[in-house]
Structures are given as C-alpha cells and as structure tokens.
Amino acid sequence: MTEALIVIDMQESFRARPLWSTLNNPDVIANVQRLVDHARTTGTQVIWVLHSEPGSGGTFDPANGFVRLVDELVPADGEPTLIKFVHNAFTTTDLQFRLTSAGVRKITVCGLRTEQCVETTARVASDLGYEVTYVTDATATFPIPHRDAPEDRTVEELLADPRTLAAADIVTRTEFALAGRFATIRTTAEVEKG
C-alpha cells in the first residue's frame, strides 16, 4: 500500500459550535464519505484524525463528549483514529511512523478547517517528502473574524463585520498557497476517476 487518505477533524466538536451554521461547504461530509468509499475499494489506507484540547472546557475538550467523528462517518475495522493536539496531523501523533511503516509515499488530505488543520497537514507532508493531493470540495471552513474583533461576538455580528474574512476567500487563498508548491488540488470526482 503506497497511498493513504488522511481525514482531518471531521468531528462533532465543530457541529456543536454556533459557527457551524456558516460552514462554507454543505457537501463536505458526503464528499468525504465518497473519498473514503473510493479509498476502501482501491485498497488505500484510511486514517482518521481528530483534534483534542484536554482541559480547555470547550467543544474540543474530550470531557465534553464532542471529540468524535461526525455521526455520518464510521471507520471500518483496521482504520486508525489518531488524536492530535496541534493543527497539523503529524507533530503530536505517530502518523509519519504509520505511513513510513506501510510504505506510503502519496497522501490525500481532506477535512475541516481548510486553511488551518488541512492546509498545515498538507504543508508538513510535502516537507516530509510525500506527494500530496488536497481535495478542495472535501474540505470546509468558516469565516475568520478580524484580529481585533471581540471573542464573544454572535455569528450575526461576525458576518456583518466587513473586516471578517469570508470562507470563499479563505478557500481561494489556500488553494493558491498550496497549488504547485505543497500539493496538487483536485476535486472528489477527479480523485474517483483516478
């Protein structure tokens, strides 16, 4: 097996937050499932990665019960679920060891937080020598508030603020930053075609 699909942060932690209503890609869960189904039929290793912030008291604190895959996605037997504590999927997990041990040289990344956890994982993977495919329609993100915006703002206030960075702009910037440098940008349909 020389390829792996890395599914990053597709977890209930995000759905439990008010910002979930601003998710830019309502098809992300369905598209991730398509990638997983394709990987399983082609013998590609599927690795699930979740983000955890123990003791934080928020939705990423495992004590609150949200650090689990979204209900629609179910790992098959033999598909590991790794827990990370930083943005990229490599630094605080044994992901690199698992990939190296399996002879993986090509990885496909998808999941939540286009510009954060998925992008940083793609960049680190590229720096480690992996051939990376970033599946743009199997990732999703949320608008980013301006650095001076109060943390306790409502979703409505966030969206009304002209300084808020729109999710569409985040996707465009991420694709520009990754394409040809750190990853090949593809759609779910393109991955399915091979």
Side-chain angles (χ1 to χ4, degrees):
M1 180 180 314
T2 60
E3 297 186 36
L5 171 64
I6 314 298
V7 181
I8 303 164
D9 295 353
M10 292 298 300
Q11 63 194 75
E12 290 294 338
S13 304
F14 285 105
R15 192 154 29 195
R17 302 169 83 195
L19 210 54
W20 181 260
S21 65
T22 68
L23 186 74
N24 75 307
N25 179 0
D27 296 326
V28 66
I29 295 171
N31 287 343
V32 168
Q33 185 64 63
R34 286 172 56 190
L35 289 176
V36 169
D37 291 343
H38 177 73
R40 289 172 179 162
T41 61
T42 60
T44 297
Q45 172 70 53
V46 178
I47 300 175
W48 306 87
V49 182
L50 299 176
H51 185 80
S52 181
E53 298 173 1
S56 66
T59 62
F60 292 96
D61 187 332
N64 291 326
F66 299 112
V67 180
R68 66 181 195 279
L69 288 171
V70 293
D71 293 336
E72 297 89 333
L73 300 174
V74 179
D77 289 343
E79 294 175 352
T81 299
L82 309 181
I83 305 295
K84 65 180 179 62
F85 304 100
V86 297
H87 297 309
N88 81 79
F90 286 94
T91 303
T92 58
T93 71
D94 66 349
L95 178 58
Q96 185 179 6
F97 174 79
R98 288 173 182 269
L99 297 175
T100 301
S101 297
V104 171
R105 296 306 319 142
K106 297 179 181 180
I107 69 165
T108 299
V109 295
C110 63
L112 287 176
R113 293 312 281 264
T114 299
E115 77 293 349
Q116 190 169 308
C117 299
V118 183
E119 179 184 0
T120 58
T121 297
R123 286 175 178 256
V124 171
S126 175
D127 284 348
L128 291 172
Y130 295 99
E131 182 180 324
V132 181
T133 298
Y134 174 94
V135 187
T136 187
D137 62 347
T139 64
T141 197
F142 310 92
I144 298 177
H146 188 269
R147 65 182 178 272
D148 295 331
E151 288 188 30
D152 62 349
R153 293 169 45 148
T154 65
V155 170
E156 293 75 19
E157 291 170 329
L158 170 72
L159 296 176
D161 187 340
R163 302 173 303 167
T164 296
L165 185 60
D169 293 333
I170 295 166
V171 171
T172 299
R173 290 174 186 208
T174 301
E175 289 180 8
F176 268 91
L178 291 178
R181 296 174 182 86
F182 300 99
T184 299
I185 310 298
R186 298 182 79 190
T187 64
T188 301
E190 289 169 337
V191 170
E192 291 172 323
K193 288 179 185 175

